Amino acid sequence: MSALTKLRSPVKPMVVEPRAILCSTGNRVKPSKTEIAAKKKKPQVAKSNFSASTDDSSSTTSSSERSSVKTAESKKLITPSKRNGSVTKHNSVAAAGDILPESPGPVKRCHWITPNSDSIYVKFHDEEWGVPVRDDKKLFELLVFSQALAEFSWPSILHKRDAFRKLFEDFDPLAISEFTEKRLMSLKVNGCLVLSEQKLRAIVDNAKSVLKVKQEFGSFSNYCWRFVNHEPLRNGYRYGRQVPVKSPKAEYISKDMMQRGFRCVGPTVIYSFLQVSGIVNDHLTTCFRYQECNAETETELDLHSIM
């Protein structure tokens, strides 16, 4: 019975799938009318969002392109262009009249003047050292100071200059030549001799020698300047290491002065004397005073030629 029931059970109908229809566009499944209507009813939100984002991106792109074009144009305006070998600027940021001039650099002086130098020493360099001197008293003063360099530095001497002038009668050779031993021992500053006894006695002897030279050459200035034909020597050194402490000319003058009775006038002392008195212009060529001293010499020579 059970076997018969199984045999008599209804057979399920076979579901036949629709076959793809060969259309003109190829083997595609042709949608039914119901599917087409359903697609039309669906809201195209995603599509609108996509289109909006596309519009936004396109507007952003266009604005960025416009800004880049403006930037490129502004850069193009500032960039100088060359025409016929000359450089021209279009719409420059600042006019030529608005450009501030460059501030001058620090004044260049000789190597022995530093930022830490004493102000009186700097003034001495800028106004006196290397300036031609032809006054007898002034020359004798500078000779005494050159001798004093063995015991003091230039700044120390300059600070004591007024005391020196007072003690030595303003460096009058005639007055100094009459100094006695007692007067020499009274030449003190703050209870101490202004110079060593040897230097003091040498100054008195040199004053007497200056008087003899004046009788022979008319003046101490003529005697000193005749060694350089009455015109300063211009060495034209560029670097401090090139400047010597003595020279053949100084050695020759030193010997001549010793033969005439001068004392403490070695080649080093004499070369310092030649430098400070302007008989030798040893300002470095990079120093602003080199050309100024040369100009003063030219002016002085022109005045002498007119007279």
Side-chain angles (χ1 to χ4, degrees), residues 219-230:
S219 67
F220 184 51
S221 175
N222 286 336
Y223 169 75
C224 295
W225 282 93
R226 74 184 182 91
F227 291 103
V228 293
N229 198 22
H230 299 276

Side-chain angles (χ1 to χ4, degrees), residues 168-218:
F168 289 101
E169 300 292 339
D170 202 21
F171 292 97
D172 181 6
L174 181 59
I176 296 174
S177 65
E178 297 175 353
F179 279 10
T180 62
E181 183 72 16
K182 183 178 180 180
R183 179 70 183 273
L184 280 179
M185 294 299 103
S186 65
L187 301 178
K188 297 181 179 181
V189 176
N190 297 328
C192 299
L193 288 175
V194 67
L195 289 171
S196 64
E197 293 184 17
Q198 179 186 5
K199 289 291 189 300
L200 291 176
R201 291 188 175 91
I203 292 172
V204 175
D205 291 340
N206 291 345
K208 295 176 181 179
S209 299
V210 168
L211 295 177
K212 294 178 182 179
V213 166
K214 289 178 68 174
Q215 292 178 353
E216 182 178 354
F217 297 96

Side-chain angles (χ1 to χ4, degrees), residues 31-73:
S32 62
K33 293 181 179 181
T34 306
E35 291 177 350
I36 293 172
K39 287 182 179 180
K40 288 182 179 180
K41 290 181 180 180
K42 288 181 180 180
Q44 298 180 356
V45 178
K47 187 176 182 179
S48 61
N49 289 340
F50 175 77
S51 62
S53 62
T54 305
D55 294 339
D56 293 341
S57 62
S58 62
S59 63
T60 305
T61 304
S62 61
S63 62
S64 63
E65 288 177 354
R66 286 195 297 270
S67 62
S68 63
V69 170
K70 289 181 180 180
T71 306
E73 289 177 355

Side-chain angles (χ1 to χ4, degrees), residues 1-13:
M1 185 67 184
S2 61
L4 291 174
T5 303
K6 290 181 180 179
L7 291 173
R8 291 179 181 177
S9 60
V11 180
K12 295 181 179 179

Side-chain angles (χ1 to χ4, degrees), residues 19-38:
R19 292 180 61 189
I21 301 172
L22 186 62
C23 302
S24 59
T25 56
N27 291 332
R28 294 181 179 177
V29 178
K30 187 174 183 180
S32 62
K33 293 181 179 181
T34 306
E35 291 177 350
I36 293 172

